[in-house]
Amino acid sequence: MRVYVPLTLPGLAEAYRTGELGAGPFVAYAVTPGLREWYVSDDTEELEYAALGRAALASLRLLAAEPEAPRRRVVIAVDVADRAVSADPGRGPDPAPGEVRVAGVVPLGKAASVHVDAADAQADVTAAAEALPAADGGDDAAQSVVDGAEDHELLWFATQEIANLVGHGD
């Protein structure tokens, strides 16, 4: 199963350093029945893109909690065994669409790709991270700011480019 793991650049650097993602279980996003119902599509490619978008929003939440992290959303696409993925029972009966838990540690070698904001998205991502608490409280103007980060497409990187993304390239 393909899952999308929200990270920050420091989180990606740690995964690169250790060669693995998470100490398990950790949150990821995938095409689940709940995501299919929420997105109302049968197109697999569209659903994968929706799962990536949910993970990008979760990355924004990580950025809001890590003020020292560079203001760029990061999502890593990883292939894991179906049995390693489950709905998140700790989130109650209605977890976020597509949200799953991945059990155990996942080798970074299982990564298929990395998705990162371009440098020109940093101002909008910074504003969105700052606006999240107000948006969560129902502030429509703040929600508009958060939605502004979604206007930026995450760039696709091959896993061989992780070293350059985290500053360990040649």
Side-chain angles (χ1 to χ4, degrees), residues 2 15-16 18-21 76-80 105-113 159-160 162:
R2 170 79 37 101
Y16 178 76
T18 63
E20 55 193 31
L21 285 169
I76 189 162
V78 183
D79 294 318
V80 298
V105 175
V106 176
L108 193 56
K110 298 278 187 182
S113 58
T159 57
Q160 298 87 339
I162 293 174

Side-chain angles (χ1 to χ4, degrees), residues 72-92:
R72 294 169 74 185
R73 297 168 299 164
V74 177
V75 176
I76 189 162
V78 183
D79 294 318
V80 298
D82 289 352
R83 67 183 176 280
V85 179
S86 64
D88 184 2
R91 296 278 303 200

Side-chain angles (χ1 to χ4, degrees), residues 92-105:
D94 193 23
E99 185 174 307
V100 296
R101 287 272 183 200
V102 178
V105 175

Side-chain angles (χ1 to χ4, degrees), residues 6-151:
L7 295 171
T8 61
L9 282 172
L12 182 61
E14 178 66 12
Y16 178 76
R17 186 184 69 71
T18 63
E20 55 193 31
L21 285 169
F26 58 90
V27 172
Y29 293 82
V31 177
T32 63
L35 183 77
R36 287 178 189 279
E37 185 177 315
W38 173 76
Y39 196 72
V40 191
S41 175
D42 288 329
D43 184 281
T44 303
E45 201 169 294
E46 284 182 19
L47 290 165
E48 292 280 341
Y49 186 76
L52 173 66
R54 302 299 295 169
L57 178 59
S59 176
L60 185 65
R61 292 189 178 287
L62 293 173
L63 289 173
E66 293 180 36
E68 72 288 346
R71 299 338 239 176
R72 294 169 74 185
R73 297 168 299 164
V74 177
V75 176
I76 189 162
V78 183
D79 294 318
V80 298
D82 289 352
R83 67 183 176 280
V85 179
S86 64
D88 184 2
R91 296 278 303 200
D94 193 23
E99 185 174 307
V100 296
R101 287 272 183 200
V102 178
V105 175
V106 176
L108 193 56
K110 298 278 187 182
S113 58
V114 180
H115 307 266
V116 181
D117 275 312
D120 68 354
Q122 289 187 55
D124 287 339
V125 171
T126 298
E130 292 171 357
L132 265 174
D136 287 346
D139 183 321
D140 290 338
Q143 185 61 53
S144 179
V145 172
V146 171
D147 292 344
E150 293 177 14
D151 291 341

